Amino acid sequence: MVGGNILCREGIDLELTCPVQGLPTPKITWLRGDKKVGAGGRLKLGILKEESSGNYSCVATNIAGEARKTTKLNVKSKLVGKRSVKTIPYSVVLR
């Protein structure tokens, strides 16, 4: 799933992944809104709380340019049914 919306409950251990391809190999930066929150192919958010909700972006850059994918994470204290997400794969290709 690339981009989009994620709805999950508190207590989920969430890690976002961002596999990229490019020459030269892109540098990966993670943003929450406009604030840098990580670097590299994975962003471990840990055990989620409602405060974890927000927009998370994987930004891949190299001399050819920049590619960005954003996911809106919405964490709720209670959900009806059994919805949970543990890993969100990203695929970003710079050419």
Side-chain angles (χ1 to χ4, degrees):
M1 177 178 179
V2 177
N5 298 315
I6 301 170
L7 173 63
C8 59
R9 62 177 168 77
E10 282 186 325
I12 298 294
D13 188 11
L14 183 69
E15 180 178 85
L16 303 177
T17 60
C18 185
V20 298
Q21 297 175 352
L23 289 174
T25 301
K27 176 183 172 189
I28 301 171
T29 304
W30 289 94
L31 304 174
R32 180 177 180 198
D34 293 329
K35 182 181 176 187
K36 182 178 176 181
V37 292
R42 297 174 186 257
L43 178 65
K44 182 152 180 64
L45 297 176
I47 304 299
L48 298 179
K49 299 178 181 178
E50 283 191 71
E51 300 82 38
S52 305
S53 296
N55 292 320
Y56 292 86
S57 299
C58 169
V59 182
T61 55
N62 69 10
I63 60 171
E66 176 181 296
R68 175 186 303 239
K69 292 292 179 182
T70 301
T71 293
K72 182 177 182 179
L73 175 63
N74 192 351
V75 181
K76 297 292 183 183
S77 60
K78 295 182 180 180
L79 289 176
V80 177
K82 294 183 178 180
R83 292 186 199 176
S84 65
V85 178
K86 291 191 177 180
T87 301
I88 305 303
Y90 280 87
S91 179
V92 179
V93 179
L94 295 177
R95 298 179 197 256

